Structure formats: structure tokens, C-alpha cells
Amino acid sequence: MNVHQVIEAIHGKVTKGISEVYFVACGGSLVDMYPSKYFLESEAKKLVAGLYTANEFVHALPKRLGKQSVVIVCSHGGNTPESVAAAKSAKEKGAHTIGLTHNQEAALLNDSDYSFLYEWGDDSDVKNNPMAIILELAVELLHVVEGYAHVDAFQKGLQTINGIINQGKKQVAPRARVFAEKYRNEELYYILTSGASYGHAYGFAICSLMEMQWLHAASIHSGEFFHGPFEVTDKETPFILMINEGRTRELDERAQTFLNQYAEKVEVIDAKELGIGVIADEVVEFFNPVLFYSIICVYREALAEVRNHPLETRRYMGKVAY
Ligand SMILES: N[C@@H]1[C@@H](O)[C@H](O)[C@@H](COP(=O)(O)O)O[C@@H]1O
């Protein structure tokens, strides 16, 4: 079943109408759901959206959860215990579950009413990766529940974004190498952005830098920067600023203006400069994170190489009890 068919099927079963959708996962998979939560919170008049790290969902189930709910669970490996348990809890409450994984043997599939075995890797089109599939699920859900005026524009964006990414990756490759050389001995980074992309600032900090490079990092929302964090700004501290195209661009530009004045180690990744502007204004902001994820992967690979710290190296994950 494709995205449209899955949502139609659930819509057909929920007589009183789907009233909420929960996005549940851990780590990188959770981060891939953030744009969808942002999309629904921004565009829905009635449909309620929630984003949960899986273990919190299991331990503090939302009271609204029930037969009118859709719960989307994503797990790349498909066997993360917290995510598998979350799908089970959702099913026990009568919710309609959609599981996404890259593993056809995934335990997650046992409690998924509908499932997507998604593509992964450098050669795949991003529209077949989990972030875009989940976003498409959110768009379809909104459309069946209350109508969404920009479905066609969104679909066009989905067809366009992979080409923008391929071009963008080439564009930033030399910059990423310079960045990696320049910052190879840094031990802490702050990652700033806003809007639909904020999840990927968090993801770059916790997965790419902390987990995969054992570096200290924190994400800061560009809007929050001026409400505390900017006090640490100096010429020694590195910042990575992802500037969105769309409504929240102004927040990122405000951070940029400040950093240009008081910081020196600032790496800017600007979606507009990378060509995202060809996507329609009404939907472009939801595609920023899809672009940024692929672009920051170029940076993390460059960093891993010069630091001689392969992205797969772990000392605790999957090695000790936790
Ligand atoms: N860095 C990894 C993530 O990349 C992964 O997404 C998450 C959950 O794993 P899975 O998606 O297999 O459930 O664990 C860690 O956080």
C-alpha cells in the first residue's frame, strides 16, 4: 500500500474521524519525525499532533490515545525495544499503527497495522527515505481529516528535493573539507536553526557529533538563542547555523547577524543559497530539514575522516548493559 492508500484505509475505519496523530521513535528516527509534527502544528486546525521519545510514550501514554488515533512508529533497525514497546502500547489502546523500518524482519512489524519498508543509503531518492515518507503521511492525514490546500505543491516539492540535494552536496563538499580541517581539534559545537529543521539541529548534536564523534554538542533554537545561550558567544566557540527558507528565516538571520558581530567560528548552511527556493512558497519550509540532513551528513563525513574517528565507532551502544 502506498501512503495515500494507507491513510484512506485508516480514514475509512475511523467513523468519528481521526483526531490525533502521534509520532514515536528514538534518536535519529525521532528526529526524522520532527518536520511532520511541525507541519501539523503549523497547518492543522483540528488534527492534534504529538512527538514522543518512545520510552516516554510507553511510560506516560497520552490520555487522548485511542481508536481515533494514528500512531506512527519509526525504527531503522526495527528492533529498538522502546519503539517496539510503544507500538504494542498503541495497539493495546486500539490506535491505528503505522510502522516504518529498513529491516523486513523487524519486531516492530508485529504491532504495525500498516508498514513501510523504506529505502536507505546514498543512492536512494530522499522521497523514499523515512523523513519524507512520514511527512507525506502527515500531509495525507491532514488532507483526509480537514483538507489541505497545498497537496499538489507538496507533491511537486517531493519530486524536486532530491535533485536540489544532489546539487547541494556537490556545492558544499569543498566547504565541508575546509570546515573539517579548520575545526578538527574542537571539542564542542552549538547547532542553531528554527522551524521544521530544529529536530535536525538536535539530531546533528546528539547523533552525529555526540554519538558518532564523541564530541560535545547542543542544539539551540534560533529564536531561543537570544534568551540565554547567546551569552556564551565568543571568538573561540564554534557555531553551525542552518538558515531555513520560509517563514522562520528571519529568526535564523537574526542569529547570523549577531554571530557575525561577536563570534568568529561560524559555519553557515543556507537552504536558499543551496537552491531550495524553486519549491513553492507555501510548502518550501517543510523541505528545509530534508535538505539539511543530507548536507550535514557531508560535513560529518568530512569531520570523521580528518579526525580519524569512523562514524560507526561506539564504546557503549550495543556493547554494555543500559
Ligand atoms: N544514533 C542512533 C539513531 O540513529 C537511531 O535512530 C536510534 C534508534 O534506532 P532505530 O532507528 O533503529 O530504532 O538509535 C540511536 O540514536
Side-chain angles (χ1 to χ4, degrees):
M1 276 175 139
N2 63 26
V3 165
H4 179 74
Q5 290 162 336
V6 165
I7 300 305
E8 280 298 332
I10 299 174
H11 180 59
K13 282 184 189 154
V14 184
T15 38
K16 285 188 185 156
I18 299 164
S19 50
E20 54 277 313
V21 49
Y22 296 114
F23 300 100
V24 185
C26 299
S29 292
L30 181 65
V31 162
D32 271 354
M33 299 176 140
Y34 189 92
S36 299
K37 169 201 119 88
Y38 176 87
F39 166 78
L40 286 178
E41 284 179 345
S42 163
E43 303 300 293
K45 290 189 180 138
K46 288 182 276 182
L47 190 59
V48 172
L51 179 83
Y52 289 81
T53 186
N55 214 12
E56 187 154 289
F57 186 79
V58 170
H59 285 84
L61 278 179
K63 287 225 165 61
R64 298 179 65 104
L65 182 69
K67 293 186 176 66
Q68 297 82 244
S69 316
V70 174
V71 178
I72 303 179
V73 184
C74 182
S75 172
H76 187 75
N79 295 315
T80 301
E82 297 95 321
S83 302
V84 173
K88 195 169 172 3
S89 302
K91 275 223 63 76
E92 281 166 6
K93 289 283 175 187
H96 302 264
T97 54
I98 304 175
L100 293 98
T101 179
H102 187 54
N103 173 13
Q104 58 182 4
E105 310 285 326
L108 173 65
L109 298 173
N110 299 333
D111 286 298
S112 302
D113 297 323
Y114 307 89
S115 59
F116 292 89
L117 268 175
Y118 58 76
E119 294 176 12
W120 194 244
D122 273 354
D123 297 336
S124 61
D125 185 317
V126 293
K127 73 172 190 291
N128 302 319
N129 294 166
M131 192 181 355
I133 298 173
I134 297 164
L135 199 48
E136 200 182 352
L137 284 164
V139 167
E140 287 287 333
L141 270 164
L142 182 63
H143 193 50
V144 295
V145 171
E146 54 186 86
Y148 177 54
H150 306 300
V151 176
D152 291 346
F154 174 80
Q155 284 297 340
K156 266 193 204 136
L158 264 189
Q159 302 308 322
T160 315
I161 189 68
N162 201 57
I164 300 169
I165 286 171
N166 286 339
Q167 179 53 38
K169 278 159 77 173
K170 283 188 210 137
Q171 213 169 316
V172 301
R175 292 180 208 172
R177 282 194 294 272
V178 172
F179 167 90
E181 278 301 335
K182 196 168 155 195
Y183 297 118
R184 61 190 302 162
N185 296 318
E186 296 293 343
E187 292 194 345
L188 177 148
Y189 293 84
Y190 292 115
I191 323 297
L192 273 80
T193 195
S194 63
S197 302
Y198 180 69
H200 278 286
Y202 169 73
F204 194 65
I206 69 152
C207 291
S208 301
L209 295 175
M210 298 175 87
E211 177 188 340
M212 298 176 178
Q213 288 298 297
W214 306 357
L215 290 168
H216 297 284
S219 55
I220 304 169
H221 194 288
S222 304
E224 285 292 285
F225 183 55
F226 298 99
H227 302 283
F230 75 151
E231 286 295 338
V232 305
T233 308
D234 58 25
K235 297 189 187 315
E236 305 306 319
T237 306
F239 292 88
I240 299 173
L241 171 64
M242 297 186 280
I243 304 184
N244 289 270
E245 177 60 312
R247 294 179 300 175
T248 65
R249 184 175 180 86
E250 215 177 294
L251 280 69
D252 303 327
E253 286 180 339
R254 182 178 172 209
Q256 185 183 29
T257 305
F258 183 86
L259 289 171
N260 281 346
Q261 193 173 353
Y262 298 105
E264 252 169 29
K265 297 178 176 173
V266 184
E267 184 71 16
V268 170
I269 304 172
D270 184 347
K272 187 172 181 174
E273 190 228 336
L274 297 177
I276 206 165
V278 298
I279 297 179
D281 290 352
E282 295 80 7
V283 295
V284 67
E285 66 179 298
F286 310 120
F287 288 94
N288 288 300
V290 187
L291 170 65
F292 286 145
Y293 174 68
S294 296
I295 297 297
I296 53 183
C297 282
V298 179
Y299 278 84
R300 82 176 179 198
E301 273 151 31
L303 204 53
E305 206 176 302
V306 300
R307 297 185 71 244
N308 202 14
H309 185 119
L311 295 168
E312 302 74 28
T313 316
R314 304 287 179 276
R315 51 183 150 183
Y316 307 119
M317 193 177 280
K319 298 202 165 161
V320 301
Y322 51 91

